[in-house]
Amino acid sequence: MTLLSARPSTSIDLFGDAALHDPYPLYAGLRQLGPAVRLEQLGEVWAISRYADVQAALADPGRFSSARVALTDIANDALAGSVLASDGADHARLRRVLSPQLARHAFNGLHGVIRRHADQLVAEVVQRGRFDAVSDLALPLVGQIITYLAGLPGRDRDQLVAWAEGVFSAFGPDTRRTRAAFPLAQTMVDYLATSATRERVRPGSWLAEVYAAADRGEIAEAECIPLASAYLVAGAELTIHAITTLLGLLARTPRQWRSLHRRAHDSAFLGAAVREALRYDAPVQWVCRTVTQDTSVSGVPLSAGSQVLLLYGSANRDDTVWGPTADQFRMRRSGIRRTGTDHLALGHGPHSCAGGHLAHMKITAVLGALARATPTLRLVPSAPPCRQLNNTIRGWVSLPLTTTPAR
């Protein structure tokens, strides 16, 4: 790494295999280098890694636009005008379509359904004693709920999750990993165009409401599939990784799991564990924005047209906010200026996660069911977890765990 007086830069590669396995030491180095650090391998792309600067940029679309949210022209051209790649009135117009379906009160009747589904899946895996947190628990729960809400057949859930992983990796720089993701992303779009038509989706579902908005003239017909795709991708993939990350962390800390087991009926305690896991290891590690005018980030000058990576994963480990234990997973986080409610894992500002409440409901349902069902949760020594290497998201391909039933 090198440090210039006003414009720090580095040769590190945030998208290599080693970085995707464990980016946090690199994030710490970036925070030390400066508020904004140019990533030399990517040209005029800057990493913003400190909490206050990331939060401020997310809240200021006037200076940091979402018009180009990927690191290749191919991906940006495909995303142009979507809810992910729009600002101001256009973004608000697209986001408004599903706002009633994603409001907190809209899920009042769904809470019991999610909890019963989680209880059933947990009972099955605990009875077996050994299970995979990804394929046996998180994917079946989240995939089934999301496909139902979207109005799609439940049998398509596994394919949709695989395609969603491709969509997220397609946001990265021009590498072999990114190029391999493009066909997966296109397959999802093709599937929705042919299998998620007006005639096939469930009445009252998200997709039905998207088409109804087009019929009312609120959005264009061409905006229907991109809008549906954005909510499907985020709703499925991020929650699956949030669940498995949380269970992996608790399996490594038996004392914290025992504490959770004793307080399995305490919804506030469960919620604190979920928020801390999101802070500690965010499912989405970064988002990209484009600088609209010559500006600066805490004194570092940036030119109009530059792109910035707002590093959620780094901001959530900033020790100026989270204290000397920022790199530790602690369900009971106290004695610092901020609490787990302030993590940036679900974004901030106009593009904050629209389905955050639904995601929290699903994660808490799984955690509570498992905490009630078993006093032990451990990794399988003979079958180590397999990390998913994705340009944008952080999670597991497989996470084998063992449990013993509660007495």
Side-chain angles (χ1 to χ4, degrees):
M1 296 184 182
T2 60
L3 178 60
L4 306 180
S5 57
R7 291 168 61 90
S9 67
T10 179
S11 61
I12 67 169
D13 179 8
L14 289 179
F15 298 97
D17 286 2
L20 297 180
H21 270 289
D22 184 11
Y24 293 105
L26 299 180
Y27 292 161
L30 288 170
R31 291 194 300 271
Q32 291 178 356
L33 273 177
V37 180
R38 188 170 72 87
L39 301 174
E40 296 165 0
Q41 294 186 356
L42 301 180
E44 282 299 306
V45 176
W46 295 73
I48 299 180
S49 56
R50 299 175 182 175
Y51 182 96
D53 296 319
V54 172
Q55 186 184 54
L58 289 169
D60 190 356
R63 285 194 305 151
F64 299 96
S65 169
S66 298
R68 292 164 58 219
V69 292
L71 294 174
T72 65
D73 290 339
I74 294 175
N76 281 318
D77 289 345
L79 292 163
S82 68
V83 69
L84 297 175
S86 57
D87 295 306
D90 279 339
H91 175 71
R93 174 179 58 85
L94 291 168
R95 184 164 171 139
R96 194 179 302 122
V97 172
L98 288 179
S99 291
Q101 283 73 24
L102 291 169
R104 181 184 293 266
H105 63 80
F107 299 118
N108 289 340
L110 190 62
H111 185 270
V113 175
I114 293 175
R115 181 163 177 168
R116 287 191 296 273
H117 194 23
D119 287 343
Q120 179 182 350
L121 285 170
V122 165
E124 292 172 359
V125 299
V126 170
Q127 184 65 32
R128 293 207 305 264
R130 173 172 169 169
F131 67 99
D132 191 292
V134 180
S135 60
D136 296 330
L137 191 54
L139 193 156
L141 175 77
V142 176
Q144 198 69 32
I145 296 297
I146 287 296
T147 52
Y148 171 77
L149 290 173
L152 297 171
R155 64 177 180 272
D156 295 334
R157 70 185 189 197
D158 292 358
Q159 288 180 312
L160 285 167
V161 169
W163 297 333
E165 293 170 2
V167 171
F168 276 109
S169 230
F171 283 76
D174 186 12
T175 63
R176 181 181 300 176
R177 180 176 289 111
T178 304
R179 291 190 291 271
F182 288 150
L184 292 173
Q186 185 60 50
T187 300
M188 169 171 265
V189 174
D190 294 342
Y191 164 84
L192 292 175
T194 57
S195 299
T197 60
R198 280 177 171 78
E199 300 76 20
R200 295 190 176 189
V201 299
R202 180 179 58 82
S205 65
W206 290 354
L207 280 161
E209 181 53 34
V210 167
Y211 286 124
D215 293 339
R216 295 191 298 266
E218 297 170 7
I219 62 173
E221 188 73 20
E223 292 174 318
C224 290
I225 296 304
L227 182 59
S229 177
Y231 283 98
L232 271 172
V233 167
E237 196 68 9
L238 303 188
T239 312
I240 288 171
H241 288 308
I243 290 171
T244 52
T245 292
L246 173 56
L247 296 184
L249 290 168
L250 289 166
R252 288 179 170 85
T253 54
R255 176 182 292 181
Q256 294 195 78
W257 179 257
R258 289 193 296 271
S259 177
L260 197 67
H261 175 65
R262 290 192 297 270
R263 299 181 62 176
H265 295 279
D266 185 340
S267 60
F269 195 70
L270 295 174
V274 172
R275 290 191 296 272
E276 172 64 356
L278 289 170
R279 179 204 71 84
Y280 181 82
D281 207 2
V284 174
Q285 288 285 295
W286 58 271
V287 294
C288 183
R289 297 289 184 263
T290 300
V291 180
T292 62
Q293 56 191 275
D294 290 349
T295 187
S296 64
V297 173
S298 293
V300 176
L302 300 180
S303 302
S306 302
Q307 288 184 288
V308 294
L309 299 186
L310 305 179
L311 300 177
Y312 290 175
S314 175
N316 285 342
R317 298 280 192 100
D318 188 338
D319 59 6
T320 66
V321 174
W322 308 104
T325 63
D327 285 320
Q328 298 176 23
F329 171 69
R330 290 187 171 186
M331 291 192 302
R332 305 187 198 192
R333 185 160 284 280
S334 61
I336 55 175
R337 288 193 294 115
R338 296 184 179 272
T339 67
T341 56
D342 293 312
H343 68 75
L344 297 177
L346 300 179
H348 179 73
H351 280 268
S352 59
C353 180
H357 176 65
L358 175 61
H360 195 275
M361 185 186 298
K362 288 181 287 187
I363 302 166
T364 306
V366 173
L367 182 61
L370 197 57
R372 291 188 296 271
T374 177
T376 61
L377 186 70
R378 297 188 179 93
L379 298 174
V380 179
S382 61
C386 179
R387 172 70 65 187
Q388 182 184 89
L389 300 185
N390 186 288
N391 285 330
T392 306
I393 55 177
R394 184 164 167 79
W396 301 101
V397 174
S398 66
L399 181 65
L401 300 173
T402 62
T403 65
T404 55
R407 294 180 181 178

